Amino acid sequence: MENAQRLSTLASKFDRSKFGVLNEEMSFAEYVDRVYENPALVRSAYQRLYDMITAKGTSTFKRYRKTYTHYSFFDDPEIPIFGLEDTLEQLVKFIRGAAGYYGTEKRVLLLHGPVGSSKSTICRLIKRGLEKYSRTDDGAWYTYKWVGLDVGQDGFYTHEEDECPMHEDPIKLIPEEIRKGLIEDLNEIRFADMTEEERNAAYVLRSEGELNPRCKMFMNILLKKYEGDWEKVVTNHIRVIRKVYSEADRVGIATFQPKDEKNQDATELTGDINYAKLPHFGSDSDPRAFNYDGEFCVGNRGVVEFIEMLKLAQEFLYDLLGASQEQQIKPKKFAQIRVDTVLIGHTNNPEYVKLKENQSMEALRDRTVKIDVPYLLRWSEELAILEHTYSKVRQHIAPHTLEIAALWAVLTRLQDEKEGKLTLVDKAKLYDGRSLPGWTEDSVKELRDKYENEGMFGGVSCRYLQDKISNTLSSHYDYINPFMVLNELREGLTNSSLITNKDEAGRYITCIELAMKELDEILKSEVQKALVGDEDAIIRLCSNYIDNVMAYIDKAKVKNPYTGKEQAPDERLMRSIEEKIDIPEVGSDDFRRSLAAFMGSLHAKDEKFRWDSNPQLKKALEMKLFEDTKDHIKLSALNVSGATVVDPDIQEKIDQIKTRLVKQYGYIDKSATDVLDYVGSIFARGDMAEND
């Protein structure tokens, strides 16, 4: 009884009404009426794909003086695409051009980039997106099935019902000469309520080509039966059915992957003869004895993905020529068949280089539009991938663990600045939109343009990061910290099959050292703030400093907050802060003016200035406040694990710092202890002596 109740509970969650909608069935006459009400039902595969992407909404943003369009479709919570603004913008432009019949509908879209750069992820998102979109009212699409066939009689199939094997649009049942007028009517209906600007931007509907051979055969036989009465044919023998894209069920989504050439031939793309049916139908050119299960047939009205496209044997690539340029496929023993499909391939650089060098493949190169998919070069975007990947991990991941791992990955992809003006870490910060003295948005754009191949030819993929973080999580069941991950990254370099020479491995180890140095700065700053424990104090210090700087520049006076009297800018206060970052007295004017200019640039962009907006000032304020407020605690005593005897008063202060690290910065007791031990060892070595 209890088990039956459980089953009923589960069954009650099944949406029968949704099932009915997604399996809707109607007459051909009802479908024609539906098309006049909603002309979008006869969209091409590219038009449906474009509408799917734009339906999620768009926004614009500026970076490096360029305006980008952001497509919310790529923010899918399950398969998000981080960064890659240039790539995604080119991708959508390609799809928009194909939707408008501007020419790219006759091309193969080729995603080109290093391993692990999100080429497959983009394809997977498009396929999953189509599956979801086809379940909505806006994404609905239909095909048809033949009904009332005379079973067993000559000229027919062996079933009473037979679904269109290529999921063709029911509109194709209308003879082409009549269909042309219908499409003109539908376009007039679509454009009727549009402004001239909207009409210019809108795509037009088309419907071209004949029925597939099997359906064409049924139509011809039935036309003879009804003495040419086409209306009786579609009324008595056609039922229109709704379809849902499904890669698993091979409906509108097909995937083709290279295999052993001995076990793979071109019929996997175009379909093959069903030899078991030959004795029944008597001829291998009978459309009923043909399996329309090739990837081009399966992906008709949807998308066909070619995994590692350029690793395919040439005979497969030849089939792409007709499918792209002519939008036709040529199965064995049959005339060409019209296909409406989005062709997407992806490849790595070595195969693409071979394609360019192969003179016999010039026709394919001419029909291919390449879009580069580089590694991410923005630190925060690489971090976003890791945070998404490990958002549901139960173990504690100490603060900055993923952040430093992401930094290391970006550093491996960057090229050394030839003039020596920047360290790799500084370059990573600039690319991530952070501010550095002397660098403007224009100069960062020039830097990006100067090293335009960064991210395409060198560096590690996010997969390598994920593998090593996974190893670390598998080895430590309670928590992991940055030191564990960096150590795993270092050790993994000796066994990586992607690292082909010692120089490359040496460079990656150097990047680990740079990431470690950046981690040192982050942790020291964090412990300093935990020791101070009061962000309001640093905000007040910043406000006081800025007030004095602006008065100094304007040659004005400052109002004393306590006495209320006007007084000269406090030079002693300003210098006590500037000295923390080694600003010499002779350079103080330049630093103060550059700071004022920095604040002005933020204001021009409607961005608010905070105490931590400028990296140099942030560091100076933290060090100043740390020095002003630190008590008599011996900093080396922070190394709590290494201390043999700790004074109770000092231990109480250490516990307070640890508590702040836990409550304010996201540590647990163990990871907070790790940080204090590590920073304490730095203090013990005297690394802070110069700063103190």
Side-chain angles (χ1 to χ4, degrees):
M1 187 71 180
E2 184 180 347
N3 292 341
Q5 187 174 3
R6 289 172 182 166
L7 179 60
S8 297
T9 301
L10 292 172
S12 66
K13 297 178 181 179
F14 183 82
D15 193 338
R16 294 180 62 187
S17 61
K18 186 68 173 179
F19 177 83
V21 169
L22 297 181
N23 290 272
E24 182 183 15
E25 197 172 302
M26 68 186 77
S27 69
F28 187 74
E30 290 173 321
Y31 181 70
V32 172
D33 290 340
R34 184 82 61 91
V35 164
Y36 272 93
E37 294 170 3
N38 180 18
L41 289 175
V42 301
R43 289 172 291 186
S44 71
Y46 272 111
Q47 289 169 346
R48 188 171 287 105
L49 181 58
Y50 178 71
D51 287 346
M52 173 191 76
I53 291 173
T54 55
K56 292 289 186 178
T58 62
S59 58
T60 59
F61 67 95
K62 284 190 174 183
R63 181 178 294 160
Y64 308 133
R65 308 297 184 189
K66 178 180 177 181
T67 300
Y68 290 91
T69 300
H70 176 76
Y71 296 91
S72 299
F73 169 79
F74 298 104
D75 297 331
D76 185 276
E78 296 178 8
I79 314 174
I81 305 294
F82 298 99
L84 297 177
E85 295 86 2
D86 286 304
T87 297
L88 298 179
E89 194 158 59
Q90 290 179 60
L91 173 67
V92 178
K93 283 181 180 179
F94 174 92
I95 295 170
R96 175 64 184 92
Y101 294 102
Y102 299 156
T104 49
E105 75 280 3
K106 298 180 179 180
R107 305 290 181 266
V108 180
L109 173 63
L110 181 62
L111 301 177
H112 162 254
V115 294
S117 62
S118 297
K119 302 183 295 297
S120 299
T121 304
I122 291 172
C123 292
R124 189 163 69 253
L125 176 57
I126 287 174
K127 292 187 293 185
R128 294 297 88 78
L130 281 172
E131 290 178 342
K132 294 177 183 177
Y133 186 58
S134 65
R135 293 175 173 272
T136 67
D137 292 340
D138 290 340
W141 64 289
Y142 297 81
T143 187
Y144 60 91
K145 63 181 179 180
W146 299 91
V147 297
L149 302 181
D150 295 330
V151 176
Q153 295 189 15
D154 290 342
F156 284 97
Y157 203 43
T158 55
H159 302 90
E160 290 186 0
E161 294 188 358
D162 196 292
E163 185 176 322
C164 174
M166 293 182 63
H167 314 300
E168 291 175 327
D169 189 335
I171 290 299
K172 291 187 71 174
L173 291 162
I174 302 173
E176 281 195 272
E177 62 273 15
I178 303 174
R179 200 190 321 154
K180 183 178 179 181
L182 168 66
I183 296 300
E184 289 176 354
D185 290 345
L186 296 180
N187 279 315
E188 286 184 10
I189 292 171
R190 288 185 71 240
F191 295 149
D193 297 326
M194 292 184 184
T195 64
E196 183 176 355
E197 183 178 355
E198 289 172 334
R199 283 195 293 271
N200 291 336
Y203 54 73
V204 296
L205 300 172
R206 291 186 188 178
S207 180
E208 300 171 337
E210 297 184 342
L211 296 171
N212 66 80
R214 190 155 85 195
C215 292
K216 186 176 181 180
M217 180 182 188
F218 290 166
M219 176 62 77
N220 289 337
I221 292 173
L222 290 168
L223 281 173
K224 288 179 182 179
K225 177 181 177 180
Y226 291 105
E227 298 180 343
D229 192 333
W230 173 81
E231 184 178 3
K232 282 188 177 180
V233 173
V234 295
T235 300
N236 296 335
H237 296 284
I238 292 295
R239 293 293 290 174
V240 175
I241 53 178
R242 181 167 176 177
K243 300 298 291 185
V244 172
Y245 288 114
S246 171
E247 184 175 21
D249 297 330
R250 305 191 78 217
V251 177
I253 298 176
T255 304
F256 191 76
Q257 185 170 0
K259 298 184 182 72
D260 181 6
E261 293 182 15
K262 296 179 181 179
N263 301 316
Q264 189 172 37
D265 59 48
T267 59
E268 291 193 31
L269 289 176
T270 57
D272 198 7
I273 296 167
N274 188 333
Y275 292 96
K277 294 181 179 180
L278 287 184
H280 183 80
F281 296 114
S283 171
D284 59 4
S285 61
D286 190 307
R288 295 164 298 176
F290 187 81
N291 287 335
Y292 296 83
D293 57 359
E295 304 304 331
F296 285 134
C297 302
V298 171
N300 189 46
R301 300 189 72 196
V303 61
V304 181
E305 176 192 7
F306 290 87
I307 299 172
E308 298 292 351
M309 187 181 93
L310 298 183
K311 289 182 179 177
L312 294 171
Q314 287 196 10
E315 55 265 30
F316 294 100
L317 297 177
Y318 292 143
D319 282 311
L320 276 170
L321 301 181
S324 58
Q325 183 65 35
E326 308 302 329
Q327 297 178 301
Q328 307 255 15
I329 61 173
K330 178 64 177 70
K332 286 193 301 186
K333 304 287 185 176
F334 293 98
Q336 290 186 323
I337 303 175
R338 181 84 177 187
V339 290
D340 170 28
T341 184
V342 177
L343 302 174
I344 303 180
H346 42 91
T347 189
N348 300 326
N349 189 61
E351 284 74 31
Y352 184 71
V353 171
K354 290 179 183 178
L355 174 68
K356 290 198 297 182
E357 294 174 349
N358 188 345
Q359 297 303 314
S360 66
M361 297 307 295
E362 184 177 5
L364 180 62
R365 293 201 304 272
D366 189 48
R367 289 166 171 82
T368 300
V369 174
K370 176 178 73 73
I371 295 179
D372 288 335
V373 187
Y375 287 140
L376 296 178
L377 298 180
R378 289 176 65 85
W379 184 359
S380 57
E381 291 168 354
E382 188 74 13
L383 173 59
I385 293 178
L386 297 180
E387 289 178 336
H388 173 76
T389 303
Y390 299 104
S391 60
K392 296 179 181 179
V393 170
R394 297 187 67 179
Q395 290 116 305
H396 170 69
I397 299 178
H400 313 300
T401 301
L402 303 181
E403 180 184 358
I404 292 301
L407 172 62
W408 175 74
V410 170
L411 293 178
T412 67
R413 302 164 189 170
L414 299 179
Q415 298 175 23
D416 292 316
E417 211 277 314
K418 297 174 183 177
E419 299 176 5
K421 296 179 180 178
L422 283 173
T423 66
L424 281 182
V425 174
D426 285 341
K427 199 176 188 184
K429 291 178 179 179
L430 285 175
Y431 281 8
D432 199 38
R434 307 188 192 189
S435 301
L436 288 180
W439 290 86
T440 64
E441 198 170 58
D442 288 334
S443 58
V444 176
K445 181 183 182 303
E446 291 175 5
L447 188 66
R448 289 296 302 267
D449 293 342
K450 183 178 179 181
Y451 299 94
E452 59 181 357
N453 289 327
E454 285 180 321
M456 287 297 295
F457 308 107
V460 298
S461 71
C462 192
R463 286 193 195 127
Y464 181 84
L465 278 184
Q466 292 167 339
D467 290 346
K468 300 313 167 188
I469 293 172
S470 173
N471 288 348
T472 311
L473 287 166
S474 299
S475 303
H476 302 83
Y477 298 120
D478 47 358
Y479 77 107
I480 64 172
N481 61 35
F483 315 110
M484 300 173 185
V485 170
L486 286 174
N487 187 55
E488 185 69 33
L489 291 173
R490 184 193 300 270
E491 291 182 355
L493 294 174
T494 57
N495 300 318
S496 175
S497 60
L498 294 175
I499 298 175
T500 56
N501 59 70
K502 292 182 179 180
D503 290 341
E504 188 178 25
R507 186 175 185 278
Y508 293 167
I509 289 174
T510 299
C511 291
I512 288 178
E513 293 169 354
L514 291 173
M516 192 71 190
K517 187 175 180 181
E518 182 65 19
L519 176 63
D520 287 354
E521 296 301 316
I522 291 172
L523 295 182
K524 285 190 291 187
S525 173
E526 205 157 62
V527 170
Q528 286 175 355
K529 286 186 283 187
L531 185 59
V532 172
D534 185 4
E535 187 177 21
D536 290 339
I538 205 167
I539 292 173
R540 290 192 298 271
L541 179 63
C542 177
S543 177
N544 194 10
Y545 173 74
I546 292 299
D547 287 345
N548 280 274
V549 165
M550 298 309 295
Y552 176 85
I553 292 173
D554 296 337
K555 298 182 179 179
K557 292 190 175 183
V558 181
K559 186 176 182 180
N560 188 301
Y562 303 106
T563 65
K565 295 181 179 180
E566 298 285 335
Q567 62 185 40
D570 190 343
E571 182 67 25
R572 184 177 179 182
L573 169 68
M574 292 186 288
R575 288 301 300 145
S576 68
I577 293 173
E578 293 157 359
E579 287 171 351
K580 299 302 174 201
I581 49 174
D582 299 324
I583 301 294
E585 189 170 354
V586 293
S588 60
D589 280 12
D590 290 340
F591 176 75
R592 295 168 190 175
R593 294 186 189 282
S594 68
L595 189 59
F598 173 79
M599 294 171 62
S601 67
L602 288 182
H603 180 75
K605 294 185 287 187
D606 292 327
E607 296 180 16
K608 187 176 180 180
F609 175 78
R610 287 174 36 89
W611 70 269
D612 55 355
S613 296
N614 183 282
Q616 276 190 300
L617 179 60
K618 173 179 177 290
K619 182 177 180 180
L621 292 170
E622 288 174 343
M623 294 177 69
K624 168 64 176 171
L625 194 62
F626 174 67
E627 182 171 299
D628 287 350
T629 57
K630 70 180 179 182
D631 49 28
H632 297 295
I633 183 173
K634 187 178 181 182
L635 297 180
S636 59
L638 290 173
N639 189 350
V640 292
S641 297
T644 54
V645 179
V646 181
D647 182 272
D649 292 337
I650 293 178
Q651 184 62 56
E652 182 181 353
K653 292 179 172 61
I654 291 173
D655 290 341
Q656 290 174 356
I657 297 172
K658 190 186 295 185
T659 299
R660 290 180 190 136
L661 287 173
V662 171
K663 290 185 177 180
Q664 299 177 21
Y665 300 102
Y667 290 89
I668 62 173
D669 187 77
K670 287 184 178 180
S671 58
T673 300
D674 289 342
V675 168
L676 289 177
D677 281 350
Y678 183 72
V679 174
S681 69
I682 295 176
F683 289 152
R685 293 196 309 264
D687 288 4
M688 292 291 292
E690 294 182 8
N691 295 332
D692 290 344

